[in-house]
mmCIF file of all heavy atoms in Angstrom:
data_model
loop_
_atom_site.group_PDB
_atom_site.id
_atom_site.type_symbol
_atom_site.label_atom_id
_atom_site.label_comp_id
_atom_site.label_asym_id
_atom_site.label_seq_id
_atom_site.Cartn_x
_atom_site.Cartn_y
_atom_site.Cartn_z
ATOM 1 N N GLN A 3 96.664 96.273 121.386
ATOM 2 C CA GLN A 3 96.478 94.987 121.925
ATOM 3 C C GLN A 3 97.515 93.943 121.601
ATOM 4 O O GLN A 3 97.611 92.948 122.171
ATOM 5 C CB GLN A 3 95.059 94.417 121.496
ATOM 6 C CG GLN A 3 94.852 94.271 119.981
ATOM 7 C CD GLN A 3 94.281 95.544 119.496
ATOM 8 O OE1 GLN A 3 94.658 96.620 119.649
ATOM 9 N NE2 GLN A 3 93.057 95.390 118.871
ATOM 10 N N THR A 4 98.352 94.335 120.591
ATOM 11 C CA THR A 4 99.377 93.315 120.318
ATOM 12 C C THR A 4 100.703 93.578 120.888
ATOM 13 O O THR A 4 101.625 92.824 120.774
ATOM 14 C CB THR A 4 99.579 93.180 118.726
ATOM 15 O OG1 THR A 4 99.722 94.495 118.316
ATOM 16 C CG2 THR A 4 98.369 92.551 118.091
ATOM 17 N N ARG A 7 102.764 91.285 123.561
ATOM 18 C CA ARG A 7 103.351 90.027 123.026
ATOM 19 C C ARG A 7 104.897 90.101 123.241
ATOM 20 O O ARG A 7 105.532 90.970 122.664
ATOM 21 C CB ARG A 7 103.057 89.812 121.551
ATOM 22 C CG ARG A 7 103.790 88.667 120.984
ATOM 23 C CD ARG A 7 103.263 88.601 119.494
ATOM 24 N NE ARG A 7 101.869 88.342 119.393
ATOM 25 C CZ ARG A 7 101.374 87.010 119.397
ATOM 26 N NH1 ARG A 7 102.310 86.031 119.492
ATOM 27 N NH2 ARG A 7 100.194 86.850 119.237
ATOM 28 N N PRO A 11 109.812 90.947 118.251
ATOM 29 C CA PRO A 11 110.864 91.868 118.302
ATOM 30 C C PRO A 11 110.689 92.989 117.299
ATOM 31 O O PRO A 11 111.614 93.789 117.075
ATOM 32 C CB PRO A 11 112.101 91.058 117.923
ATOM 33 C CG PRO A 11 111.534 89.981 117.070
ATOM 34 C CD PRO A 11 110.074 89.792 117.386
ATOM 35 N N SER A 12 109.431 93.094 116.794
ATOM 36 C CA SER A 12 109.284 94.028 115.706
ATOM 37 C C SER A 12 109.328 95.485 116.143
ATOM 38 O O SER A 12 109.635 96.306 115.337
ATOM 39 C CB SER A 12 107.870 93.756 115.063
ATOM 40 O OG SER A 12 106.948 93.645 116.074
ATOM 41 N N ARG A 15 112.526 97.515 115.467
ATOM 42 C CA ARG A 15 112.753 97.872 114.096
ATOM 43 C C ARG A 15 111.838 98.932 113.597
ATOM 44 O O ARG A 15 112.121 99.665 112.656
ATOM 45 C CB ARG A 15 112.582 96.604 113.171
ATOM 46 C CG ARG A 15 113.773 95.672 113.241
ATOM 47 C CD ARG A 15 113.583 94.517 112.441
ATOM 48 N NE ARG A 15 112.400 93.759 112.929
ATOM 49 C CZ ARG A 15 111.753 92.909 112.178
ATOM 50 N NH1 ARG A 15 112.226 92.491 111.090
ATOM 51 N NH2 ARG A 15 110.715 92.288 112.737
ATOM 52 N N LEU A 16 110.634 98.975 114.266
ATOM 53 C CA LEU A 16 109.731 99.941 113.858
ATOM 54 C C LEU A 16 110.181 101.404 114.140
ATOM 55 O O LEU A 16 109.884 102.335 113.539
ATOM 56 C CB LEU A 16 108.432 99.730 114.608
ATOM 57 C CG LEU A 16 107.218 99.197 113.820
ATOM 58 C CD1 LEU A 16 105.962 99.064 114.666
ATOM 59 C CD2 LEU A 16 106.873 100.149 112.673
ATOM 60 N N TRP A 209 86.005 109.537 105.294
ATOM 61 C CA TRP A 209 85.482 108.443 106.182
ATOM 62 C C TRP A 209 85.271 107.224 105.341
ATOM 63 O O TRP A 209 85.684 106.105 105.679
ATOM 64 C CB TRP A 209 84.230 108.996 106.868
ATOM 65 C CG TRP A 209 83.279 107.840 107.287
ATOM 66 C CD1 TRP A 209 82.277 107.298 106.623
ATOM 67 C CD2 TRP A 209 83.325 107.234 108.605
ATOM 68 N NE1 TRP A 209 81.644 106.318 107.383
ATOM 69 C CE2 TRP A 209 82.321 106.266 108.558
ATOM 70 C CE3 TRP A 209 84.098 107.311 109.707
ATOM 71 C CZ2 TRP A 209 82.019 105.430 109.689
ATOM 72 C CZ3 TRP A 209 83.818 106.511 110.834
ATOM 73 C CH2 TRP A 209 82.831 105.600 110.796
ATOM 74 N N LEU A 212 88.722 105.557 104.193
ATOM 75 C CA LEU A 212 89.714 104.976 105.124
ATOM 76 C C LEU A 212 89.005 104.124 106.152
ATOM 77 O O LEU A 212 89.713 103.320 106.762
ATOM 78 C CB LEU A 212 90.459 106.149 105.903
ATOM 79 C CG LEU A 212 91.301 107.046 104.928
ATOM 80 C CD1 LEU A 212 91.968 108.149 105.765
ATOM 81 C CD2 LEU A 212 92.315 106.216 104.181
ATOM 82 N N ARG A 213 87.634 104.242 106.359
ATOM 83 C CA ARG A 213 87.129 103.588 107.498
ATOM 84 C C ARG A 213 85.965 102.596 107.056
ATOM 85 O O ARG A 213 85.473 101.863 107.931
ATOM 86 C CB ARG A 213 86.507 104.618 108.514
ATOM 87 C CG ARG A 213 87.545 105.399 109.180
ATOM 88 C CD ARG A 213 88.246 104.558 110.266
ATOM 89 N NE ARG A 213 89.317 105.347 110.957
ATOM 90 C CZ ARG A 213 90.532 105.323 110.612
ATOM 91 N NH1 ARG A 213 90.951 104.708 109.540
ATOM 92 N NH2 ARG A 213 91.422 106.035 111.271
ATOM 93 N N THR A 214 85.735 102.476 105.796
ATOM 94 C CA THR A 214 84.658 101.594 105.385
ATOM 95 C C THR A 214 85.143 100.536 104.452
ATOM 96 O O THR A 214 86.109 100.735 103.826
ATOM 97 C CB THR A 214 83.415 102.250 104.759
ATOM 98 O OG1 THR A 214 83.851 102.713 103.431
ATOM 99 C CG2 THR A 214 82.932 103.509 105.565
ATOM 100 N N ARG A 215 84.304 99.463 104.244
ATOM 101 C CA ARG A 215 84.634 98.360 103.423
ATOM 102 C C ARG A 215 84.608 98.976 101.939
ATOM 103 O O ARG A 215 85.475 98.511 101.160
ATOM 104 C CB ARG A 215 83.582 97.298 103.493
ATOM 105 C CG ARG A 215 83.809 96.123 102.713
ATOM 106 C CD ARG A 215 82.960 95.020 103.083
ATOM 107 N NE ARG A 215 81.583 95.249 102.456
ATOM 108 C CZ ARG A 215 80.601 94.431 102.675
ATOM 109 N NH1 ARG A 215 80.710 93.297 103.173
ATOM 110 N NH2 ARG A 215 79.447 94.709 102.119
ATOM 111 N N ASN A 218 87.832 100.413 101.119
ATOM 112 C CA ASN A 218 88.889 99.312 100.785
ATOM 113 C C ASN A 218 88.720 98.876 99.351
ATOM 114 O O ASN A 218 89.742 98.652 98.643
ATOM 115 C CB ASN A 218 88.553 98.080 101.791
ATOM 116 C CG ASN A 218 89.829 97.662 102.478
ATOM 117 O OD1 ASN A 218 90.766 98.454 102.622
ATOM 118 N ND2 ASN A 218 89.780 96.445 102.923
ATOM 119 N N TRP A 219 87.474 98.704 99.004
ATOM 120 C CA TRP A 219 87.190 98.222 97.570
ATOM 121 C C TRP A 219 87.612 99.192 96.621
ATOM 122 O O TRP A 219 88.124 98.872 95.510
ATOM 123 C CB TRP A 219 85.710 97.819 97.411
ATOM 124 C CG TRP A 219 85.334 96.650 98.226
ATOM 125 C CD1 TRP A 219 86.164 95.866 98.969
ATOM 126 C CD2 TRP A 219 84.019 96.166 98.428
ATOM 127 N NE1 TRP A 219 85.383 94.914 99.649
ATOM 128 C CE2 TRP A 219 84.089 95.014 99.264
ATOM 129 C CE3 TRP A 219 82.777 96.466 97.955
ATOM 130 C CZ2 TRP A 219 82.923 94.236 99.627
ATOM 131 C CZ3 TRP A 219 81.617 95.778 98.348
ATOM 132 C CH2 TRP A 219 81.726 94.590 99.206
ATOM 133 N N ALA A 222 91.168 99.016 96.132
ATOM 134 C CA ALA A 222 91.584 97.685 95.538
ATOM 135 C C ALA A 222 91.256 97.685 94.027
ATOM 136 O O ALA A 222 92.090 97.230 93.231
ATOM 137 C CB ALA A 222 90.800 96.609 96.221
ATOM 138 N N GLY A 225 93.800 99.727 92.367
ATOM 139 C CA GLY A 225 95.258 99.204 92.497
ATOM 140 C C GLY A 225 95.437 98.031 91.600
ATOM 141 O O GLY A 225 96.521 97.941 90.915
ATOM 142 N N SER A 229 93.169 91.239 90.843
ATOM 143 C CA SER A 229 93.372 90.791 92.258
ATOM 144 C C SER A 229 92.144 90.970 93.062
ATOM 145 O O SER A 229 91.735 90.032 93.780
ATOM 146 C CB SER A 229 94.550 91.439 92.880
ATOM 147 O OG SER A 229 95.738 91.183 92.178
ATOM 148 N N ALA A 232 89.602 88.471 92.202
ATOM 149 C CA ALA A 232 89.923 87.097 92.691
ATOM 150 C C ALA A 232 89.666 86.867 94.188
ATOM 151 O O ALA A 232 89.353 85.721 94.669
ATOM 152 C CB ALA A 232 91.398 86.909 92.403
ATOM 153 N N VAL A 233 89.655 87.919 94.962
ATOM 154 C CA VAL A 233 89.332 87.751 96.378
ATOM 155 C C VAL A 233 87.866 88.046 96.702
ATOM 156 O O VAL A 233 87.518 88.168 97.859
ATOM 157 C CB VAL A 233 90.327 88.524 97.351
ATOM 158 C CG1 VAL A 233 91.743 88.049 97.152
ATOM 159 C CG2 VAL A 233 90.260 90.031 97.018
ATOM 160 N N ALA A 345 106.710 104.182 97.712
ATOM 161 C CA ALA A 345 105.722 103.224 98.237
ATOM 162 C C ALA A 345 105.892 101.809 97.776
ATOM 163 O O ALA A 345 105.699 100.832 98.507
ATOM 164 C CB ALA A 345 104.311 103.731 97.965
ATOM 165 N N GLU A 346 106.260 101.660 96.491
ATOM 166 C CA GLU A 346 106.328 100.261 95.950
ATOM 167 C C GLU A 346 107.575 99.657 96.160
ATOM 168 O O GLU A 346 107.695 98.353 96.298
ATOM 169 C CB GLU A 346 106.081 100.353 94.364
ATOM 170 C CG GLU A 346 104.609 100.389 94.127
ATOM 171 C CD GLU A 346 104.334 100.272 92.599
ATOM 172 O OE1 GLU A 346 105.244 100.590 91.739
ATOM 173 O OE2 GLU A 346 103.293 99.902 92.304
ATOM 174 N N GLY A 348 109.709 100.261 98.777
ATOM 175 C CA GLY A 348 110.156 100.382 100.182
ATOM 176 C C GLY A 348 110.943 101.692 100.314
ATOM 177 O O GLY A 348 111.098 102.480 99.406
ATOM 178 N N ALA B 97 96.957 87.527 93.721
ATOM 179 C CA ALA B 97 95.782 88.253 94.097
ATOM 180 C C ALA B 97 96.067 89.258 95.275
ATOM 181 O O ALA B 97 95.224 89.284 96.269
ATOM 182 C CB ALA B 97 94.598 87.442 94.354
ATOM 183 N N VAL B 98 97.096 90.013 95.192
ATOM 184 C CA VAL B 98 97.256 91.044 96.135
ATOM 185 C C VAL B 98 97.323 92.471 95.388
ATOM 186 O O VAL B 98 97.530 92.510 94.239
ATOM 187 C CB VAL B 98 98.548 90.975 96.973
ATOM 188 C CG1 VAL B 98 98.472 89.751 97.862
ATOM 189 C CG2 VAL B 98 99.788 90.950 96.152
ATOM 190 N N VAL B 99 97.031 93.590 96.136
ATOM 191 C CA VAL B 99 97.032 94.913 95.529
ATOM 192 C C VAL B 99 98.283 95.572 96.104
ATOM 193 O O VAL B 99 98.316 95.901 97.233
ATOM 194 C CB VAL B 99 95.686 95.672 95.904
ATOM 195 C CG1 VAL B 99 95.768 97.068 95.211
ATOM 196 C CG2 VAL B 99 94.511 94.918 95.552
ATOM 197 N N MET B 102 98.397 98.667 98.524
ATOM 198 C CA MET B 102 97.613 98.698 99.811
ATOM 199 C C MET B 102 98.384 98.083 100.890
ATOM 200 O O MET B 102 99.257 97.135 100.668
ATOM 201 C CB MET B 102 96.273 97.907 99.646
ATOM 202 C CG MET B 102 95.341 98.680 98.720
ATOM 203 S SD MET B 102 93.728 97.819 98.388
ATOM 204 C CE MET B 102 92.940 97.938 99.871
ATOM 205 N N ARG B 106 95.296 95.393 105.052
ATOM 206 C CA ARG B 106 94.158 95.551 104.197
ATOM 207 C C ARG B 106 94.044 94.543 103.098
ATOM 208 O O ARG B 106 92.961 94.008 102.746
ATOM 209 C CB ARG B 106 94.163 97.015 103.510
ATOM 210 C CG ARG B 106 93.728 98.093 104.419
ATOM 211 C CD ARG B 106 93.574 99.431 103.686
ATOM 212 N NE ARG B 106 93.339 100.532 104.515
ATOM 213 C CZ ARG B 106 92.202 101.073 104.842
ATOM 214 N NH1 ARG B 106 91.054 100.525 104.345
ATOM 215 N NH2 ARG B 106 92.069 102.160 105.644
ATOM 216 N N LEU B 110 91.148 91.769 102.458
ATOM 217 C CA LEU B 110 90.413 92.295 101.212
ATOM 218 C C LEU B 110 89.407 91.336 100.812
ATOM 219 O O LEU B 110 89.633 90.107 100.664
ATOM 220 C CB LEU B 110 91.385 92.614 100.204
ATOM 221 C CG LEU B 110 90.788 93.288 98.906
ATOM 222 C CD1 LEU B 110 90.216 94.639 99.262
ATOM 223 C CD2 LEU B 110 91.871 93.465 97.883
ATOM 224 N N GLY B 111 88.177 91.747 100.657
ATOM 225 C CA GLY B 111 87.109 90.882 100.144
ATOM 226 C C GLY B 111 86.331 90.209 101.297
ATOM 227 O O GLY B 111 85.308 89.694 101.188
ATOM 228 N N GLU B 113 86.261 91.746 104.741
ATOM 229 C CA GLU B 113 86.578 92.741 105.767
ATOM 230 C C GLU B 113 85.711 92.484 107.026
ATOM 231 O O GLU B 113 84.622 92.148 106.943
ATOM 232 C CB GLU B 113 86.325 94.140 105.222
ATOM 233 C CG GLU B 113 87.301 94.562 104.162
ATOM 234 C CD GLU B 113 86.972 94.196 102.789
ATOM 235 O OE1 GLU B 113 86.013 93.321 102.594
ATOM 236 O OE2 GLU B 113 87.586 94.613 101.841
ATOM 237 N N ARG B 115 83.835 94.057 110.113
ATOM 238 C CA ARG B 115 83.278 95.359 110.406
ATOM 239 C C ARG B 115 82.627 95.443 111.718
ATOM 240 O O ARG B 115 82.309 94.349 112.360
ATOM 241 C CB ARG B 115 82.292 95.708 109.365
ATOM 242 C CG ARG B 115 82.888 96.037 107.978
ATOM 243 C CD ARG B 115 81.925 96.519 106.884
ATOM 244 N NE ARG B 115 80.935 95.437 106.579
ATOM 245 C CZ ARG B 115 79.924 95.746 105.829
ATOM 246 N NH1 ARG B 115 79.619 96.873 105.442
ATOM 247 N NH2 ARG B 115 79.080 94.734 105.500
ATOM 248 N N ARG B 123 81.559 100.382 110.143
ATOM 249 C CA ARG B 123 82.890 100.770 109.649
ATOM 250 C C ARG B 123 83.856 99.585 109.883
ATOM 251 O O ARG B 123 83.450 98.515 110.573
ATOM 252 C CB ARG B 123 83.414 101.909 110.515
ATOM 253 C CG ARG B 123 83.441 101.584 111.924
ATOM 254 C CD ARG B 123 83.449 102.948 112.766
ATOM 255 N NE ARG B 123 83.608 102.691 114.216
ATOM 256 C CZ ARG B 123 82.521 102.469 114.969
ATOM 257 N NH1 ARG B 123 81.377 102.461 114.439
ATOM 258 N NH2 ARG B 123 82.774 102.268 116.273
ATOM 259 N N LEU B 124 84.998 99.678 109.343
ATOM 260 C CA LEU B 124 86.025 98.650 109.360
ATOM 261 C C LEU B 124 86.461 98.549 110.839
ATOM 262 O O LEU B 124 86.718 99.542 111.538
ATOM 263 C CB LEU B 124 87.143 98.969 108.491
ATOM 264 C CG LEU B 124 86.877 98.948 107.010
ATOM 265 C CD1 LEU B 124 88.194 99.509 106.325
ATOM 266 C CD2 LEU B 124 86.470 97.707 106.569
ATOM 267 N N ILE B 126 89.352 98.265 112.385
ATOM 268 C CA ILE B 126 90.750 98.346 112.016
ATOM 269 C C ILE B 126 91.712 97.768 113.067
ATOM 270 O O ILE B 126 92.721 96.971 112.665
ATOM 271 C CB ILE B 126 91.137 99.858 111.648
ATOM 272 C CG1 ILE B 126 90.418 100.243 110.375
ATOM 273 C CG2 ILE B 126 92.700 99.998 111.526
ATOM 274 C CD1 ILE B 126 90.669 101.675 110.058
ATOM 275 N N GLY B 127 91.413 98.044 114.273
ATOM 276 C CA GLY B 127 92.244 97.459 115.332
ATOM 277 C C GLY B 127 92.421 96.001 115.254
ATOM 278 O O GLY B 127 93.448 95.323 115.266
ATOM 279 N N GLY B 131 95.705 93.846 114.184
ATOM 280 C CA GLY B 131 96.293 92.973 115.167
ATOM 281 C C GLY B 131 96.172 91.474 114.639
ATOM 282 O O GLY B 131 97.214 90.762 114.801
ATOM 283 N N LYS B 134 98.721 90.708 111.920
ATOM 284 C CA LYS B 134 100.130 90.638 112.530
ATOM 285 C C LYS B 134 100.288 89.249 113.263
ATOM 286 O O LYS B 134 101.284 88.582 113.101
ATOM 287 C CB LYS B 134 100.359 91.829 113.527
ATOM 288 C CG LYS B 134 101.802 92.104 113.771
ATOM 289 C CD LYS B 134 101.904 93.306 114.611
ATOM 290 C CE LYS B 134 103.298 93.502 115.157
ATOM 291 N NZ LYS B 134 104.374 93.856 114.145
ATOM 292 N N GLU B 135 99.264 88.938 114.024
ATOM 293 C CA GLU B 135 99.329 87.673 114.906
ATOM 294 C C GLU B 135 99.390 86.428 113.976
ATOM 295 O O GLU B 135 100.139 85.584 114.157
ATOM 296 C CB GLU B 135 98.123 87.537 115.694
ATOM 297 C CG GLU B 135 98.376 87.590 117.173
ATOM 298 C CD GLU B 135 97.123 87.862 117.917
ATOM 299 O OE1 GLU B 135 96.397 86.915 118.091
ATOM 300 O OE2 GLU B 135 96.937 88.946 118.446
ATOM 301 N N LEU B 138 102.707 86.095 112.250
ATOM 302 C CA LEU B 138 103.609 85.715 113.188
ATOM 303 C C LEU B 138 103.468 84.249 113.547
ATOM 304 O O LEU B 138 104.435 83.491 113.564
ATOM 305 C CB LEU B 138 103.456 86.469 114.519
ATOM 306 C CG LEU B 138 104.688 86.661 115.400
ATOM 307 C CD1 LEU B 138 105.773 87.440 114.608
ATOM 308 C CD2 LEU B 138 104.339 87.463 116.640
ATOM 309 N N ASP B 143 107.682 87.468 110.505
ATOM 310 C CA ASP B 143 107.634 88.575 111.434
ATOM 311 C C ASP B 143 107.805 89.901 110.653
ATOM 312 O O ASP B 143 108.889 90.174 110.237
ATOM 313 C CB ASP B 143 108.864 88.352 112.369
ATOM 314 C CG ASP B 143 108.970 89.430 113.496
ATOM 315 O OD1 ASP B 143 107.922 90.146 113.532
ATOM 316 O OD2 ASP B 143 109.992 89.426 114.044
ATOM 317 N N ARG B 145 107.892 93.935 109.926
ATOM 318 C CA ARG B 145 108.166 95.147 110.715
ATOM 319 C C ARG B 145 106.896 95.897 110.970
ATOM 320 O O ARG B 145 106.721 96.357 112.048
ATOM 321 C CB ARG B 145 109.112 95.983 109.847
ATOM 322 C CG ARG B 145 110.499 95.447 109.671
ATOM 323 C CD ARG B 145 111.398 96.254 108.883
ATOM 324 N NE ARG B 145 110.922 96.239 107.424
ATOM 325 C CZ ARG B 145 111.316 95.219 106.623
ATOM 326 N NH1 ARG B 145 112.055 94.180 107.112
ATOM 327 N NH2 ARG B 145 110.845 95.180 105.397
ATOM 328 N N PRO B 150 102.930 99.001 102.486
ATOM 329 C CA PRO B 150 102.261 98.512 101.291
ATOM 330 C C PRO B 150 102.846 97.086 100.976
ATOM 331 O O PRO B 150 104.042 96.891 101.191
ATOM 332 C CB PRO B 150 102.673 99.486 100.182
ATOM 333 C CG PRO B 150 103.164 100.738 100.824
ATOM 334 C CD PRO B 150 103.691 100.332 102.165
ATOM 335 N N GLY B 152 103.376 95.775 98.333
ATOM 336 C CA GLY B 152 104.404 95.824 97.330
ATOM 337 C C GLY B 152 105.862 95.869 97.816
ATOM 338 O O GLY B 152 106.757 95.633 97.046
ATOM 339 N N THR B 153 106.097 96.317 99.006
ATOM 340 C CA THR B 153 107.402 96.520 99.604
ATOM 341 C C THR B 153 107.933 95.214 100.056
ATOM 342 O O THR B 153 109.077 95.181 100.454
ATOM 343 C CB THR B 153 107.372 97.491 100.752
ATOM 344 O OG1 THR B 153 106.640 97.012 101.744
ATOM 345 C CG2 THR B 153 106.872 98.886 100.274
ATOM 346 N N ARG B 166 96.769 84.120 104.636
ATOM 347 C CA ARG B 166 95.348 84.517 104.392
ATOM 348 C C ARG B 166 94.465 83.377 104.228
ATOM 349 O O ARG B 166 93.355 83.263 104.801
ATOM 350 C CB ARG B 166 95.322 85.516 103.284
ATOM 351 C CG ARG B 166 93.983 86.030 102.888
ATOM 352 C CD ARG B 166 94.063 87.190 101.970
ATOM 353 N NE ARG B 166 94.457 86.725 100.612
ATOM 354 C CZ ARG B 166 94.626 87.548 99.571
ATOM 355 N NH1 ARG B 166 94.410 88.970 99.765
ATOM 356 N NH2 ARG B 166 95.026 87.204 98.391
#
Side-chain angles (χ1 to χ4, degrees):
Chain A
Q3 60 266 56
T4 51
R7 177 182 290 276
S12 47
R15 283 176 301 167
L16 251 182
W209 159 269
L212 299 179
R213 290 287 176 268
T214 70
R215 186 172 72 177
N218 229 25
W219 290 355
S229 296
V233 294
E346 275 186 338
Chain B
V98 296
V99 184
M102 289 176 80
R106 282 188 189 262
L110 187 60
E113 290 86 351
R115 290 185 292 171
R123 60 199 183 273
L124 297 176
I126 292 177
K134 199 174 167 72
E135 243 167 75
L138 207 61
D143 185 13
R145 289 177 291 280
T153 63
R166 175 168 72 181

